[in-house]
């Protein structure tokens, strides 16, 4: 997977644009969350693809070069399904919730990948590779393609770097699990900074709930206490998420009661 990501972003721009986003879609090659002509864009090259469920894949947007790309991503997606399933089961037990509660909400584990390439920038202190945000999904598994640092997480008003560990994925919580857990788990505010001389690439696999899910604090968790978040359909939640460019924890905090 790592090797194919490196080779894809080496392709000439015209070849990459063959897999460009379609109008009114985030899937394909191109910037995410472009909501106006005068906004400051992130310093990154991006490829966003839906990988699960299988029938949702638009293979025409999956790069045909390098030749192994599609097979690599398909296999990688299946392996991550297993990892995510294990983590979700452990989190359910930690919350005192029956594992089938989570497995029903995350049935078939809808999954998408955001593949980001961050070229070096001589004025790195003036740009961001990825603006501060939380993920509007349940669980994100991040693969560092190389060892260059860039991911930062926010805690207590300060930013802290996340050092890539060889052979490891970085896992973090999204808005959906914060809401389901009634705030026991916190959605992670994060951003990506740019290196002055070195490029960096990552693959973020985002795992979300079933499309017909209701997103709200689980009944087992709020027994004897008040829910801290509103409940809504997943469709309503995603409309809200995509209505503006994500900024910090603004969305999830706007859903608090």
């Amino acid at each position: 997977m790592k090797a194919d990501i490196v080779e894809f972003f080496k392709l000439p721009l015209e070849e990459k644009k063959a897999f460009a986003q379609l109008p009114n879609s985030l899937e394909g090659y191109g910037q995410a969350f472009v909501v106006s002509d005068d906004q400051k864009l992130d310093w990154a090259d991006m490829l966003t693809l839906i990988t699960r469920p299988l029938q949702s894949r638009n293979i025409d947007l999956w790069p045909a070069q390098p030749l192994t790309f599609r097979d690599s991503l398909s296999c990688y997606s299946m392996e991550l399904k297993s990892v995510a399933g294990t983590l979700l089961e452990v989190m359910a037990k930690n919350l005192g919730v029956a594992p089938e509660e989570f497995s029903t909400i995350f049935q078939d584990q809808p999954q998408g990948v955001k593949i980001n390439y961050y070229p070096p920038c001589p004025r790195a202190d003036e740009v961001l590779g990825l603006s501060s945000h939380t993920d509007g999904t349940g669980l994100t598994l991040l693969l560092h393609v190389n060892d260059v640092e860039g991911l930062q997480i926010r805690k207590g008003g300060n930013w802290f770097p996340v050092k890539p560990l060889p052979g490891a994925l970085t896992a973090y919580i999204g808005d959906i699990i914060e809401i389901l857990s009634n705030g026991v788990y916190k959605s992670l505010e994060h951003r990506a900074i740019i290196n002055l001389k070195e490029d960096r690439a990552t693959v973020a696999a985002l795992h979300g709930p079933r499309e017909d899910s209701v997103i709200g604090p689980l009944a087992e968790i709020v027994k004897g206490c008040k829910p801290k978040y509103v409940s809504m359909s997943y469709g309503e939640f995603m409309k809200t998420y995509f209505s503006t460019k994500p900024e910090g924890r603004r969305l999830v905090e706007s859903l608090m009661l």
Side-chain angles (χ1 to χ4, degrees):
M1 191 73 251
K2 289 181 177 181
D4 284 344
I5 295 304
V6 171
E7 291 305 310
F8 172 74
F9 284 112
K10 284 182 180 177
L11 294 174
L13 179 59
E14 288 306 312
E15 290 188 38
K16 290 184 284 191
K17 286 171 67 175
F19 307 99
Q21 295 168 348
L22 299 174
N24 302 313
S25 172
L26 288 177
E27 191 175 11
Y29 175 74
Q31 282 269 347
F33 295 104
V34 179
V35 295
S36 71
D37 292 333
D38 56 357
Q39 78 181 62
K40 185 176 181 180
L41 297 178
D42 292 331
W43 188 269
D45 227 358
M46 301 178 184
L47 176 66
T48 304
L49 299 169
I50 294 172
T51 45
R52 293 192 57 81
L54 301 184
Q55 64 268 24
S56 296
R57 292 179 176 181
N58 184 350
I59 295 297
D60 290 340
L61 293 176
W62 289 38
Q65 295 291 332
L67 294 175
T68 53
F69 186 100
R70 292 176 178 178
D71 283 342
S72 295
L73 181 55
S74 185
C75 291
Y76 183 68
S77 167
M78 287 300 296
E79 293 292 342
L80 288 191
K81 177 181 182 293
S82 175
V83 176
T86 299
L87 290 173
L88 289 167
E89 182 178 341
V90 171
M91 284 191 284
K93 290 179 180 177
N94 187 48
L95 290 167
V97 173
E100 51 267 26
E101 279 271 4
F102 263 26
S103 61
T104 300
I105 294 170
F106 293 97
Q107 187 175 1
D108 294 329
Q109 287 176 28
Q111 180 195 74
V113 296
K114 285 188 64 181
I115 303 170
N116 298 319
Y117 171 73
Y118 305 103
C121 178
R123 297 164 67 180
D125 59 332
E126 297 181 21
V127 296
L128 283 173
L130 201 59
S131 301
S132 167
H133 68 289
T134 59
D135 289 343
T137 54
L139 177 68
T140 298
L141 298 175
L142 184 74
L143 174 70
H144 300 271
V145 174
N146 54 25
D147 296 330
V148 177
E149 288 186 27
L151 175 64
Q152 293 186 334
I153 62 172
R154 193 172 191 179
K155 185 174 177 63
N158 298 312
W159 289 101
F160 298 91
V162 177
K163 295 184 178 181
L165 297 177
L169 298 166
T170 299
Y172 46 91
I173 303 299
D175 297 339
I176 299 298
I177 286 183
E178 174 168 340
I179 294 169
L180 293 175
S181 71
N182 205 35
V184 176
Y185 284 114
K186 294 295 185 185
S187 184
L188 185 73
E189 184 180 353
H190 56 287
R191 69 180 185 182
I193 62 171
I194 298 302
N195 191 282
L196 188 66
K197 297 181 179 178
E198 296 183 283
D199 60 0
R200 175 175 174 263
T202 61
V203 184
L206 302 97
H207 299 81
R210 288 183 355 219
E211 288 189 6
D212 61 349
S213 297
V214 173
I215 306 305
L218 294 172
E220 289 182 66
I221 294 177
V222 295
K223 283 180 181 176
C225 65
K226 292 182 179 180
K228 298 178 181 178
Y229 303 83
V230 299
S231 295
M232 62 175 65
S233 71
Y234 181 55
E236 289 178 292
F237 175 86
M238 292 311 292
K239 282 181 184 177
T240 304
Y241 187 82
F242 288 117
S243 63
T244 59
K245 183 176 172 62
E247 183 179 322
R249 285 179 48 81
R250 183 174 62 182
L251 173 65
V252 72
E253 289 178 353
S254 73
L255 300 177
M256 297 182 74
L257 295 170

